[in-house]
Amino acid sequence: MAAPEVNLLFHQPISDHSFNADRSLLAVTRENNVELYTRSRKGFTLKDELKGHDKTVTSVDISSVTGRIVTCSQGKHELSLPHAPKLT
């Protein structure tokens, strides 16, 4: 079992978060958007923001097989990206 990690990204509550299969990408729901963070030497760095929901995003998941990111909001809308963006 891997040792636990603590990463302080912000001081506000979030609805959900998800890691990709190798834990190099972190998706965090923040109000109507999903922020994508990549692992760096100092923890995680914000690299991109997914927009498109008109209400609070309540759920996010990243497929461990395809890398597809799926989100759901209080507006009962679902958004799906075919693949995780290439963040370099």
Side-chain angles (χ1 to χ4, degrees):
M1 181 179 211
E5 286 184 40
V6 175
N7 292 288
L8 181 60
L9 300 175
F10 29 79
H11 296 282
Q12 299 165 338
I14 62 171
S15 296
D16 196 16
H17 72 282
S18 183
F19 288 95
N20 66 344
D22 67 0
R23 300 179 72 84
S24 63
L25 179 70
L26 170 63
V28 178
T29 61
R30 300 284 308 266
E31 299 177 2
N32 296 6
N33 305 316
V34 175
E35 294 178 349
L36 299 177
Y37 294 85
T38 54
R39 185 178 294 279
S40 66
R41 292 181 193 157
K42 298 179 182 180
F44 285 90
T45 305
L46 179 64
K47 290 295 183 180
D48 203 358
E49 187 173 22
L50 307 178
K51 299 179 180 185
H53 286 288
D54 59 349
K55 300 208 178 193
T56 302
V57 179
T58 56
S59 181
V60 62
D61 196 17
I62 304 174
S63 169
S64 61
V65 177
T66 64
R68 179 181 294 261
I69 298 173
V70 179
T71 63
C72 186
S73 75
Q74 289 178 348
K76 300 180 183 173
H77 292 103
E78 170 266 333
L79 296 177
S80 178
L81 295 172
H83 298 288
K86 300 225 183 244
L87 304 173
T88 56

